[in-house]
Amino acid sequence: MTAARNQALATQARRVYLEALVRGMTPLVAAVGQGAAQLLSQGAPHAVMLARRDAVQAWQKLGPNWQMAVVGALRHAAQHGVSDNAREHDTGATPQTHKMSLVDDSTIEREITSSRLSLVMMDRATWEFTDLRTRMQTLEAHDDLEPLDLLRAHVIARIALDAWTRVGLDAPIWQLLHHELHEEFAQLISEAYHETNRWLIAQKVLPEVDLRPFIRRTAQAAREAAAAAGGAPIAPAVATAAPASGLAPLSTPSGSGELPRSRASSQADEVMAQLQRVLARHVPGFPVTKSQVPARPGVGKPSLAGLGAVGAVPEAAVAKPSLADAEPAAPASPRLMGAIRHAQDAFQRRPAPAAVPAAGGDSGQSAPRQLEEIGARNQAFKQVLKQAANSPAERATIEIVAMMFQSILTEERIPASVRVWFARLQMPVLRVAVSEPDFFAAADHPARRLIDRMGACVMGFNAAQATGPGAERASGDALEREIKRVVQVVEAYPDTGRRVFSTVLTEFEKFLDHYFENENQASKRGVSLAQQVEQRETLAIQYTIELRKMLSEVPVQDGVRDFLFHVWADVLAVTAVRTGAQSDITKAMKRAAADLIWSASAKSSREERADVIRRLPPLLKTLRDGMSHAGLPTDKQDDHVRLLNNALAAAFTAKTAAIPRERLDELMDQLETLEAMLPEDVSGDSHVDEMLVRDLSGHESDGMEVVAEGGSAPTPAMVAWARELQVGGWFMLDYRGRNEQVQLAWRGLRKQLALFVTPKGRGVLFSLNRMAAFLQAGLLLPAQDEALTVQATRKALAKLDADPNQLLK
């Protein structure tokens, strides 16, 4: 009976939502018509005025038809669902006829336009959508809404754009009217969500939404379902969301048990798989992993790097390459190990290059000369080592490692002095590769990851040095010294193998965090600002959650409630970050919240009304001070104060019960100790992650720009790629008319924020989805298309493709 009632409530809620959308289309069309008429009164060149006149005439003629088409499409979608092949049906073609054809430019442009509209809608309606989605999940007993659910903003955007084209309106007309269309659709869907939430609350469906239990339950259910279906544990399904929602990814697509994977991870796995196929074909007895030899390209193991970027994953839950089905690796021959040790000693006895070549001095030539000598010595040692090998597998291992390091040592984007230190890793890596064949099967082997991480940090090193004589050079010295230390530690423990590489990799990553935060002059100010932004945003979200709980049963005007949730929670967070949670200023802001709640409650006596009037001026001054402290412009403050005045005036005539003095004192006590009620560890709180993608433009300052626009809604693969980006990597950023080199200097604790810095010290802050959108649009280009060792492996494969016999010579 309960399930049937819940389904009936869900069905009725969807009707309420649909009717709100249908009712809202009439004022939407009227508002767009007014905006169109205003275009004709604005001055512009003659050609632009002609285009505007034609657009307005077309709108006046076809606007009513578009309204009817949208309403009809909404009702059809509500009854029959939304088809992913809607466009094919509209054009009279079947999905099969388009399967192998190229997508035309108009379709791509329409997708971009649709994505922009959906992002604007979700920017306005994030809170309401989150609450409505949770309530519908509860009623319909689903883990999440379907990707093409009519409740999702990107589905509404698609319906609007399809109807626009169907009635004869074209893309240029949309572009001329897009400001009004964006504003009105954002208002429309926000009101529809609000109306549906209000109806559900009236039906006693989750009057107060607490997202955390649902998120934990969903993640656990995903793990259990995947384990039951596949017979083996997999990583938690927490990485994707409908890309057009504008929200951070929270769950996998319906029907999928796999995390989304970036193109870089997929390509790395394919390179490893291709290497395995070559070894299996040409090297007798090489312990090849069968799971790494897929029948078609692109089938490989999940990337540990991608999984690790999403969240903490139990080791047992990660799919790793297995040698269970392969021939066991024979221990390396003592003769070969002795030869490797001798070669390593010879490398260590060579003098190291000058850490900082003097400008114009002879020492600047020492590193290039050493690289030439190393190249010749490597060839000689390779032949000696192959003679010491006692199996084809060992000879193949020696050849591939030599080819990889030859590629790394000729990579001119890495400074020569750093490449010399990389050269000294060749023998330790060879020792690991001989004893651990999965070095050739896993792109995330610790030895590979260490080289990749160090290489990524210095790939833009020369450009950084060239931009300034002082701070950048000193920062480069610190990074080069750390690379030298890492190599020397690896050399000091020749028999430790994988363990030493894992240990120094962890140490290097800790060094990078400290380096960018404290030592790098170009980044440390920006990192400090970005950390404050993250702390402020997280606190604001937590304050909002707790305020919602506190006011769930308190009769407060909706305007005051919205102000507390959307404005004052941020004021409390800013004040707590800047002055401390227990400072007098923070306490004053909390008292102002309590005074506002009391002032907005029903006032039945003349004495209470007089008290409100007496206390109102200092209260409004405190509210304005708090909003100024949080960086709200004066016009926004005026809007909020006007709405609060209306709410306070309504309290004088309200018929609701007044807040008892005891309840008011209890609220004040709760506000005083609000920090104690906040969860101590929110590292796994996906609700906080989701809210961190909201507009961050208010945090822009002289030392830090905030990317608030640009790009289209990213795909799950692009979001996965954005999660994988690691501190230290170099990129070319096209933003605000500048195309310049930047370095990723900081990632937030939840991977939702990322800070890039220029060599001159200007910071550029991204949210996760905005960074993925820039990657997708080509506005953020990595200095490396793929990791250093993956690139080296690919070049080795090219040589082996030309002459496979090199493996056994």
Side-chain angles (χ1 to χ4, degrees), residues 10 13-14 17 122 125-126 128-156 189 193 196-197 200 217-218 240-243 245 247 250-255 690:
R14 290 182 177 276
Y17 171 71
M122 286 310 303
T126 294
E128 293 286 358
F129 172 75
T130 302
D131 288 354
L132 178 58
R133 178 175 62 180
T134 306
R135 292 186 173 106
M136 296 304 292
Q137 286 176 245
T138 302
L139 292 176
E140 297 177 333
H142 293 157
D143 288 342
D144 200 359
L145 301 176
E146 292 294 326
L148 294 177
D149 196 303
L150 191 61
L151 294 175
R152 292 193 180 275
H154 71 92
V155 175
I156 302 298
I189 201 164
Y193 288 155
T196 312
N197 275 319
L200 287 170
R217 182 193 65 193
T218 301
T240 62
S245 70
L247 300 178
L250 291 177
S251 59
T252 55
S254 176
E690 179 180 315

Side-chain angles (χ1 to χ4, degrees), residues 4 41 111 140 146 181 370 393 429 435 450 577 595 602 614 618 672 726 791:
S41 63
E111 288 295 331
E140 297 177 333
E146 292 294 326
L181 288 162
Q370 285 196 49
V429 168
S435 58
L450 177 65
V577 169
D595 290 343
R614 177 179 58 81
E672 290 282 358
Q726 294 181 308
Q791 173 186 289

Side-chain angles (χ1 to χ4, degrees), residues 430-476:
L430 178 57
R431 181 188 294 272
V432 170
V434 168
S435 58
E436 300 179 17
D438 64 324
F439 175 81
F440 297 114
D444 50 22
H445 188 283
R448 285 179 172 273
R449 289 178 59 202
L450 177 65
I451 297 171
D452 291 340
R453 294 290 282 122
M454 295 193 301
C457 292
V458 298
M459 192 63 81
F461 200 49
N462 286 334
Q465 293 177 132
T467 57
E472 292 84 359
R473 180 62 257 178
S475 298

Side-chain angles (χ1 to χ4, degrees), residues 159-186:
I159 287 173
L161 262 295
D162 286 345
W164 187 273
T165 305
R166 197 160 52 246
V167 300
L169 293 167
D170 58 18
I173 298 176
W174 181 281
Q175 292 304 320
L176 282 171
L177 302 176
H178 79 277
H179 289 297
E180 290 77 13
L181 288 162
H182 283 183
E183 176 64 25
E184 294 304 320
F185 266 108

Side-chain angles (χ1 to χ4, degrees), residues 7 15 25 104 122 126 242 249 443 460 465 540 625 666 673 693 704 732 791:
Q7 189 58 49
R15 292 197 191 101
M25 282 302 299
D104 57 41
M122 286 310 303
T126 294
Q465 293 177 132
D625 289 344
E666 182 183 347
T673 59
V693 302
M704 183 170 67
M732 291 302 298
Q791 173 186 289

